[in-house]
């Protein structure tokens, strides 16, 4: 059957039930800037009759609208991107209205304020995933760029002919394609783990494939199609036993559960802001400090350099090697070249990053040597990997999103979403001729709050189109950037409904009702 041609949507905004208030939020390891949060979000528990979805929904204005001719929007496409709370939008607006400026090299107030908030976001990310140091966080455009950074910086430097990289067939294209390109350049081999009978990557086969030839294991934490959750800590342990590193795609886990990189012992981990209530255009790479320190630059440009000449350039060293050098913007009588000096060789334990001018005070050189400015640990980020002007507003917005999620509590979010996940799966099973992909939930098997599915003899894009146009239900259809997985399952595409903490069981009910009507509509033509 040919796909239905969609019409252009129309929008009518409803009035939210409440507005977000402004409050101060403390964070685990640092003080936060002020954030706009709903008074209800900070409540420690919700009553049985009021779910977390009902409590947080007023914080998301986009959800309070009608689409396609006065149909209430039911947004179930959260695995593709999440919606943004008022707190995040206010943080972006505040940056552009109050202290818009470039970071790291200016000495004026606006640049200092922007730098402070930008680096505070780095500390928030580090605390959120329990990194041991904020310098283990590298900001990137998205998780895709973060994986490419590891592939081209670590991969090209460490892989050689005969080496092996192990992946699963359930990986996102972003976790496959970079390693295909690197393997073509290095001669390394890519080996893939298939699914077991429960439609989960076969961990027994993965373990058996590990050998002294294995240099890297690339795995997702949560599958964006199968909804399966892998025991990353065990996989890391197996890989480390043969001397291999592990890169974890945590795009579908960091927004939904507590992720502890030290507990997982992962070597690299990537995630994207836009899937965790933050802005688009910003993601991050976590890397163990010893690995990052040994990796060469990925992109060339401003920020990541030490000195540039016409015939060559030198690069900013890792913070563990050099953290003391006054910037070029200072008056010559205050300049002193400490390049190559270690932190221990500086006269105090404080650290000052290359060209970190905003926080430096103009003092005599003798005074500076006696007591260098102390500005905290954020002054030595992995700037070697952050070439050019970064996404400053978006990074600050990511920090605000972390504040918002932390105020709710990630364990609370996870427990609520597990309840939603079971409710979605059980109700979707009631739809005639439906096929849900991934493991069946049980006492020992927990699914993420998403379901990829097909209905017999109906194209998933036709399903998604009718759900949208006739019922205002937004789901996704296609291959979900997982074509190898779809081919393994014998299909070219699937439909996917994915939930977040601001969804409710009523959203699931609306979806199931709309899906049944959609199936009945197409069955009329059979």
């Amino acid at each position: 059957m040919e796909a239905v041609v969609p019409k252009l949507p129309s929008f009518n905004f409803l009035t939210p039930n409440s507005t977000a208030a402004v409050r101060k939020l403390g964070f685990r390891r640092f003080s936060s800037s002020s954030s706009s949060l709903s008074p209800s979000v900070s409540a420690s528990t919700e009553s049985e009759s009021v779910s977390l979805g009902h409590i947080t929904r007023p914080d998301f204005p986009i959800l309070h609208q009608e689409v396609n001719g006065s149909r209430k929007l039911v947004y179930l496409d959260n695995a593709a991107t999440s919606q943004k709370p008022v707190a995040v939008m206010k943080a972006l607006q505040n940056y552009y209205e109050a202290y818009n400026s470039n970071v790291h090299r200016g000495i004026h107030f606006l640049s200092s304020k922007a730098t402070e908030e930008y680096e505070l976001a780095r500390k928030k990310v580090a605390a959120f995933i329990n990194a041991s140091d904020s310098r283990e966080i590298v900001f990137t455009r998205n998780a895709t760029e973060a994986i490419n950074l590891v592939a081209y910086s670590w991969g090209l430097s460490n892989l050689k002919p005969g080496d092996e990289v192990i992946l699963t067939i359930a990986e996102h294209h972003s976790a496959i394609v970079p390693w295909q390109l690197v393997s073509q350049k290095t001669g390394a081999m890519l080996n893939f783990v298939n699914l077991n009978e429960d439609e989960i990557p076969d961990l027994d086969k993965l373990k058996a494939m590990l050998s002294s030839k294995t240099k890297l294991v690339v795995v997702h934490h949560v599958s964006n199609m199968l909804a399966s959750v892998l025991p990353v800590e065990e996989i890391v342990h197996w890989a480390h036993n043969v001397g291999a590193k592990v890169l974890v795609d945590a795009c579908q886990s960091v927004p939904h559960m507590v992720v502890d990189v030290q507990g997982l012992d992962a070597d690299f981990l990537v995630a994207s802001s836009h899937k965790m209530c933050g802005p688009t255009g910003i993601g991050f790479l976590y890397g163990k400090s010893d690995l990052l320190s040994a990796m060469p630059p990925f992109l060339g440009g401003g920020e990541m350099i030490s000195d540039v000449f016409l015939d060559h350039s030198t690069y900013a060293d890792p913070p563990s090697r050099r953290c003391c050098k006054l910037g070029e913007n200072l008056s010559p009588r205050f300049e002193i070249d400490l390049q190559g000096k270690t932190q221990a060789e500086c006269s105090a334990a404080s650290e000052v990053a290359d060209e970190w001018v905003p926080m430096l005070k103009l003092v005599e050189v003798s005074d500076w040597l006696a007591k260098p400015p102390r500005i905290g640990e954020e002054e030595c980020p992995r700037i070697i990997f952050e070439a050019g002007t970064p996404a400053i507003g978006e990074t600050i917005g990511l920090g605000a999103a972390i504040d918002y999620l932390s105020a709710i509590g990630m364990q609370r979010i996870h427990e609520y979403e597990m309840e939603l996940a079971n409710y979605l799966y059980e109700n979707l099973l009631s739809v005639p001729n439906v096929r849900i992909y991934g493991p069946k939930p049980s006492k020992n098997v927990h699914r993420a709050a998403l379901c990829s599915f097909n209905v017999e003899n109906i194209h998933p894009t036709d399903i998604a189109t009718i759900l949208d146009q006739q019922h205002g239900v937004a789901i996704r259809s296609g291959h979900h950037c997982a074509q190898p997985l779809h081919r393994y399952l014998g299909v070219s595409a699937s439909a996917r409904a994915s939930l977040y903490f601001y969804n409710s069981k009523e959203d699931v009910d609306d979806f199931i009702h709309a899906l049944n009507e959609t199936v009945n509509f197409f069955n009329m033509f059979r």
Side-chain angles (χ1 to χ4, degrees):
M1 180 178 294
E2 295 183 356
V4 176
V5 178
K7 65 180 180 180
L8 294 175
S10 59
F11 305 92
N12 292 315
F13 284 87
L14 302 175
T15 303
N17 295 328
S18 65
T19 57
V22 179
R23 53 166 283 191
K24 279 277 195 178
L25 172 67
F27 202 69
R28 279 181 280 182
R29 298 188 191 170
F30 47 81
S31 348
S32 162
S33 311
S34 59
S35 302
S36 299
L37 300 173
S38 167
S40 56
V41 164
S42 59
S44 59
T45 60
E46 61 265 12
S47 68
E48 293 183 2
S49 60
V50 182
S51 71
L52 183 58
H54 292 104
I55 293 173
T56 56
R57 186 179 178 87
D59 298 333
F60 296 84
I62 197 171
L63 300 178
H64 302 276
Q65 64 173 293
E66 295 176 342
V67 296
N68 293 326
S70 300
R71 291 174 177 85
K72 181 187 71 172
L73 172 65
V74 179
Y75 185 78
L76 303 181
D77 193 21
N78 294 284
T81 198
S82 66
Q83 299 304 338
K84 321 307 175 192
V86 172
V88 170
M89 292 183 282
K90 284 190 174 181
L92 283 168
Q93 182 179 6
N94 187 43
Y95 164 69
Y96 285 110
E97 287 185 348
Y99 56 97
N100 174 46
S101 180
N102 215 325
V103 294
H104 294 151
R105 291 188 299 274
I107 62 173
H108 55 80
F109 173 82
L110 294 182
S111 181
S112 298
K113 175 65 174 176
T115 299
E116 179 184 359
E117 294 296 324
Y118 178 82
E119 291 302 333
L120 180 59
R122 193 188 306 272
K123 296 185 72 175
K124 292 178 182 180
V125 172
F128 193 67
I129 62 172
N130 196 33
S132 62
D133 195 310
S134 65
R135 288 168 288 185
E136 294 178 318
I137 304 301
V138 179
F139 287 129
T140 58
R141 287 186 304 131
N142 43 45
T144 299
E145 183 175 89
I147 295 172
N148 275 271
L149 191 163
V150 177
Y152 283 91
S153 182
W154 183 89
L156 291 180
S157 302
N158 289 275
L159 297 177
K160 61 184 185 300
D163 288 342
E164 296 178 354
V165 177
I166 296 178
L167 312 91
T168 81
I169 64 166
E171 300 309 315
H172 192 281
H173 293 166
S174 296
I176 296 177
V177 176
W179 298 106
Q180 290 176 335
L181 296 173
V182 167
S183 69
Q184 293 169 7
K185 295 177 181 293
T186 62
M189 299 294 295
L190 303 185
N191 295 327
F192 289 88
V193 177
N194 289 331
L195 306 184
N196 61 20
E197 60 184 10
D198 297 319
E199 294 190 340
I200 301 174
D202 194 327
L203 298 184
D204 290 334
K205 288 186 178 179
L206 188 155
K207 188 175 182 180
M209 291 169 65
L210 292 167
S211 71
S212 59
K213 294 182 179 181
T214 308
K215 302 305 176 186
L216 180 70
V217 177
V218 179
V219 292
H220 57 272
H221 196 176
V222 173
S223 171
N224 74 322
M225 182 196 170
L226 301 173
S228 53
V229 183
L230 296 185
V232 170
E233 188 173 355
E234 292 183 40
I235 295 172
V236 170
H237 177 71
W238 301 336
H240 285 176
N241 282 343
V242 299
K245 307 302 181 188
V246 179
L247 186 157
V248 180
D249 176 356
C251 288
Q252 299 293 342
S253 61
V254 167
H256 302 281
M257 62 180 67
V258 176
V259 173
D260 180 347
V261 292
Q262 293 188 71
L264 296 176
D265 200 22
D267 300 290
F268 302 104
L269 181 142
V270 304
S272 279
S273 163
H274 72 95
K275 287 182 168 66
M276 52 188 292
C277 294
T280 57
I282 184 68
F284 66 86
L285 164 69
Y286 159 81
K288 288 183 176 178
S289 58
D290 59 327
L291 295 176
L292 293 179
S293 297
M295 289 161 54
F298 171 48
L299 297 174
E303 289 290 315
M304 51 75 66
I305 53 86
S306 175
D307 293 291
V308 175
F309 303 90
L310 293 181
D311 58 347
H312 74 283
S313 297
T314 58
Y315 309 122
D317 290 331
S320 59
R321 295 180 184 173
R322 175 176 58 80
C323 288
C324 296
K325 181 183 177 184
L326 291 184
E328 61 185 359
N329 290 354
L330 293 181
S331 170
R333 76 187 184 97
F334 298 122
E335 287 188 0
I336 181 169
D337 187 5
L338 295 176
Q339 184 171 3
K341 297 294 191 296
T342 65
Q343 182 178 345
E345 292 174 305
C346 294
S347 60
S350 61
E351 301 164 340
V352 181
D354 181 36
E355 297 186 341
W356 185 279
V357 178
M359 302 301 291
L360 294 178
K361 305 298 182 183
L362 295 183
V363 296
E364 294 289 350
V365 169
S366 58
D367 294 336
W368 189 89
L369 287 174
K371 189 176 182 180
R374 184 176 184 84
I375 58 177
E377 68 179 4
E378 74 274 17
E379 72 282 11
C380 289
R382 289 294 305 161
I383 58 175
I384 190 174
F385 298 120
E386 297 179 9
T389 297
I392 304 167
E394 289 80 358
T395 304
I396 293 169
L398 170 58
I402 288 175
D403 287 345
Y404 181 85
L405 294 174
S406 299
I408 300 171
M410 292 309 300
Q411 185 60 34
R412 181 182 177 192
I413 288 173
H414 180 54
E415 291 172 356
Y416 175 67
E417 288 189 11
M418 283 197 300
E419 180 183 347
L420 280 184
N422 291 333
Y423 190 79
L424 172 64
Y425 186 90
E426 292 168 2
N427 282 272
L428 187 55
L429 279 178
S430 67
V431 177
N433 301 316
V434 73
R435 162 76 157 93
I436 305 175
Y437 301 101
K440 296 179 180 179
S442 67
K443 183 177 181 180
N444 298 320
V445 177
H446 300 293
R447 288 178 57 100
L450 66 90
C451 283
S452 297
F453 65 96
N454 271 309
V455 178
E456 187 178 355
N457 297 323
I458 306 177
H459 195 282
T461 298
D462 290 340
I463 291 175
T465 300
I466 297 300
L467 285 176
D468 171 54
Q469 292 191 355
Q470 299 300 318
H471 303 280
V473 177
I475 67 167
R476 186 145 299 249
S477 64
H479 53 63
H480 317 307
C481 291
Q483 286 181 313
L485 177 58
H486 278 80
R487 291 193 188 99
Y488 181 87
L489 294 169
V491 295
S492 61
S494 63
R496 184 184 67 193
S498 51
L499 312 177
Y500 207 7
F501 63 86
Y502 45 68
N503 288 121
S504 64
K505 290 182 178 179
E506 287 81 0
D507 290 334
V508 175
D509 294 339
D510 289 341
F511 162 60
I512 298 300
H513 174 76
L515 180 58
N516 275 308
E517 288 199 356
T518 299
V519 171
N520 291 335
F521 169 77
F522 283 109
N523 285 340
M524 292 170 55
F525 300 97
R526 293 181 60 184

